[in-house]
Amino acid sequence: MSEPVATEDETRPERFDVAVIGGGPAGMAAAMAAAGTGLSTVLLDEQAAPGGQIYRSIEKVDEQGDRMRQLLGPDYARGADLVRRFRGSTAVYRPRSAVFDLSAEGGIGLVGEGRAQWIEARRVIIAAGAQERPVPVPGWTLPGVMGLGSAQTALKSSAMVSDVPTVIAGSGPLLYLAAAQLVDAGARIEAILDTTPRAHYLHAAPHLPRAFLAGPELRKGLHWQRLLKSSGIEFHTAVHDIRIEGERQVSGLRARAGSWELHYDCELVLLHEGVVPNTQLAMVAGAEHRYSRLQASWQPVLDPFGRSSLAAVLVAGDACGIRGADIAHAAGELAGLAASADLGALSGDELERRSGASRRLIARKAPLRRFLDILFRPRDEVLVPPDDATMVCRCEEVTAGELRQIASIGCSGPNQAKAFSRAGMGPCQGRMCSLTVSHLLAAANRRDVAGTGHMRIRPPVKPVTLAELACMQGLPPPPDSGPMLPTAPEDEDATA
Ligand SMILES: Cc1cc2nc3c(=O)[nH]c(=O)nc-3n(C[C@H](O)[C@@H](O)[C@H](O)COP(=O)(O)OP(=O)(O)OC[C@H]3O[C@@H](n4cnc5c(N)ncnc54)[C@H](O)[C@@H]3O)c2cc1C
């Protein structure tokens, strides 16, 4: 097997057999599986320490002692063992390395420690996890509105909780977990507004028995719900029509729950409507994606081992569809083993044998995921903001009304919408608006989202400065000398 090549020549890319992007459960499992078969393996992660979202800062919290560990719960503490095993593996670990570009052939542009670098791998496993689904309600761009997951991140990484009056609103398993953690940590929560529609409980009910048998997760969810309801904090269900108020920053929140009008004076609003896969890297590489109606998001098309439509690219964990940490770990292991088999470090028989436990775990947990997907499917008003004044693209300040207006004059897809409105052309490269733009145009044009399509993603998907690029170590191959101007009529985002 080839060793990583440290090169004197600054223009030659460093090479690995396998590069894994993301240091959560999927990425760590993938890297350990590939490295365990003797392949030179590197794990790149933009965080300062391994753990990903669920086990963020686990090593630091371990040192802080029992109180924080207790507060974040046994599922979190479990990450310490995984991180220890990963640290003990032969995989090379590169923290603070944000990947901003990925080629179909396994070329990776990354930035860290003040300089960019281009490296190459024979197989790349994307394990970039998920991000919170953007929640475009009136007022969501005001200072004082955050994702609930971001508040949880502050708790895990810096033991920080806000002491201002706070309202939590949204839906999904993470709502109950993170809210319970914040309450326990002493946050000043005025109310918890659960937006799960009552009809979703009816639709999900037939799947409940199998979901209960699939593992302890539902019992845990009920336990968090009970904790919240018994904490004395106002708790409303079936909440909708959320409007955040304030001139320069949040001063209050209005919503409805059935015939009730709710109003709170507050300085912080924590929104959460589930999480969606981070698909930017797989899209930038050119892997095929399809729209999942159940999860209302795009997902890469993969075989059971995580192989994408590109020979050099595999995807694992929440980056290929939201399935939670246990399945992320199992899927990471499958991808690591598959990459090893593809590179000849593992026989087909060995792949079958070693992957059995992970495949069985994924199959066993499938009914739980189906139940959660039906119960917590995002409401229509989250996918398609009904109020014209609601901001959709925060970077370029494009509203829902402007997008409806361009649809009315013939804009049919999100790539055209870039040229019509600049939506998706700001520094976040559509990370915060691309899903909403697709849903909104689909609704306005009375088409389905799959047919409407997704924004074509361009590098850099993470910010990189000219100074960092100027001292780039290793260079990508020169681009094909194709035509300078787009020739295909369907290249509708020629301006992007
Ligand atoms: C904010 C947030 C908080 C969550 N908290 C919990 C929780 O407390 N409990 C729970 O059960 N589930 C939680 N989840 C769900 C969670 O994502 C798990 O299902 C699980 O962590 C998924 O594992 P993963 O390995 O696929 O991805 P992750 O654990 O998300 O790991 C992905 C890693 O990839 C890195 N990354 C992403 N893009 C790049 C890039 N371009 N370059 C370099 N690195 C990159 C990320 O920084 C991250 O470290 C949370 C999700 C989110 C979005």
Side-chain angles (χ1 to χ4, degrees):
M1 298 305 133
S2 54
E3 290 293 311
V5 180
T7 132
E8 292 289 298
D9 178 356
E10 288 272 295
T11 65
R12 274 187 49 204
E14 200 177 356
R15 294 204 167 88
F16 294 88
D17 290 324
V18 177
V20 179
I21 304 169
M28 287 188 282
M32 285 190 288
T37 63
L39 295 175
S40 65
T41 303
V42 64
L43 185 142
L44 309 163
D45 191 280
E46 61 188 341
Q47 307 300 329
Q53 297 290 9
I54 178 167
Y55 308 131
R56 182 183 287 272
S57 306
I58 179 78
E59 293 166 312
K60 199 163 97 185
V61 168
D62 238 17
E63 284 163 18
Q64 283 166 350
D66 288 347
R67 170 69 186 129
M68 271 301 276
R69 264 205 310 269
Q70 206 179 342
L71 195 150
L72 292 168
D75 286 345
Y76 177 73
R78 208 149 54 98
D81 178 53
L82 177 61
V83 169
R84 250 191 308 276
R85 283 190 288 123
F86 167 67
R87 291 264 194 204
S89 78
T90 54
V92 177
Y93 174 49
R94 298 262 170 93
R96 299 191 183 88
S97 301
V99 174
F100 63 85
D101 194 5
L102 175 63
S103 80
E105 297 77 25
I108 298 171
L110 61 107
V111 59
E113 311 291 344
R115 76 186 299 186
Q117 190 184 359
W118 188 263
I119 68 172
E120 288 175 354
R122 295 161 70 201
R123 289 293 181 276
V124 177
I125 301 173
I126 302 172
Q131 66 167 74
E132 287 189 283
R133 181 186 290 280
V135 190
V137 294
W140 74 302
T141 53
L142 281 168
V145 183
M146 280 170 71
L148 175 60
S150 310
Q152 192 209 36
T153 296
L155 179 64
K156 286 176 181 170
S157 52
S158 314
M160 261 173 55
V161 274
S162 160
D163 60 356
V164 300
T166 301
V167 173
I168 295 178
S171 176
L174 193 57
L175 182 89
Y176 308 127
L177 167 64
Q181 288 169 338
L182 290 177
V183 169
D184 200 14
R188 267 178 72 186
I189 313 291
E190 301 290 311
I192 296 169
L193 310 179
D194 185 338
T195 59
T196 315
R198 291 201 206 296
H200 287 200
Y201 286 92
L202 289 178
H203 296 148
H207 303 274
L208 183 61
R210 292 192 65 207
F212 249 113
L213 294 176
E217 288 84 349
L218 286 192
R219 275 182 284 276
K220 285 185 205 163
L222 289 173
H223 169 69
W224 299 324
Q225 252 186 359
R226 268 197 303 274
L227 272 183
L228 292 172
K229 285 181 180 168
S230 63
S231 66
I233 294 168
E234 247 186 85
F235 192 106
H236 292 275
T237 54
V239 174
H240 56 99
D241 219 355
I242 292 171
R243 291 167 180 273
I244 301 163
E245 300 173 328
E247 285 293 322
R248 289 170 173 269
Q249 63 180 64
V250 172
S251 59
L253 178 146
R254 282 184 194 281
R256 300 177 68 85
S259 56
W260 288 66
E261 276 277 357
L262 305 173
H263 178 256
Y264 301 95
D265 293 324
C266 57
E267 292 173 39
L268 181 64
V269 173
L270 302 178
L271 297 173
H272 180 80
E273 292 285 349
V275 299
V276 292
N278 266 330
T279 51
Q280 283 194 316
L281 286 171
M283 284 183 177
V284 106
E288 189 187 339
H289 283 68
R290 70 166 160 249
Y291 180 73
S292 158
R293 275 175 55 82
L294 205 52
Q295 296 205 339
S297 60
W298 295 92
Q299 300 179 354
V301 176
L302 304 172
D303 81 356
F305 288 90
R307 297 183 183 97
S308 76
S309 58
L310 306 169
V313 177
L314 298 90
V315 192
D318 275 6
C320 55
I322 306 306
R323 296 187 292 176
D326 287 347
I327 295 188
H329 182 280
E333 185 161 271
L334 291 183
L337 292 174
S340 299
D342 293 353
L343 296 180
L346 203 64
S347 70
D349 285 351
E350 274 290 283
L351 175 63
E352 279 298 307
R353 195 181 63 73
R354 291 206 202 176
S355 61
S358 291
R359 283 186 288 142
R360 282 193 295 278
L361 182 132
I362 292 173
R364 200 173 65 241
K365 300 253 178 211
L368 171 71
R369 184 41 54 185
R370 183 148 190 86
F371 173 79
L372 295 176
D373 284 348
I374 296 171
L375 182 59
F376 296 124
R377 191 179 191 283
R379 295 162 297 134
D380 288 348
E381 70 181 43
V382 171
L383 300 177
V384 181
D387 189 328
D388 274 350
T390 305
M391 199 65 78
V392 172
C393 171
R394 312 171 64 121
C395 303
E396 297 292 334
E397 301 192 338
V398 184
T399 62
E402 286 169 78
L403 288 163
R404 283 194 189 93
Q405 205 267 329
I406 62 170
S408 74
I409 56 170
C411 175
S412 60
N415 295 306
Q416 263 185 332
K418 288 184 184 176
F420 275 79
S421 68
R422 292 193 56 81
M425 291 181 74
C428 91
Q429 283 290 290
R431 225 161 54 86
M432 295 301 284
C433 70
S434 134
L435 263 179
T436 312
V437 172
S438 290
H439 281 102
L440 201 144
L441 291 178
N445 291 318
R446 297 178 198 287
R447 293 178 69 196
D448 60 5
V449 183
T452 300
H454 60 77
M455 275 183 194
R456 224 165 289 154
I457 303 300
R458 306 284 192 217
V461 302
K462 293 280 170 182
V464 50
T465 65
L466 275 177
E468 287 163 336
L469 280 176
C471 53
M472 187 151 177
Q473 191 187 358
L475 291 179
D480 284 347
S481 47
M484 293 292 286
L485 292 171
T487 49
E490 65 271 21
D491 193 6
E492 52 187 12
D493 64 335
T495 51

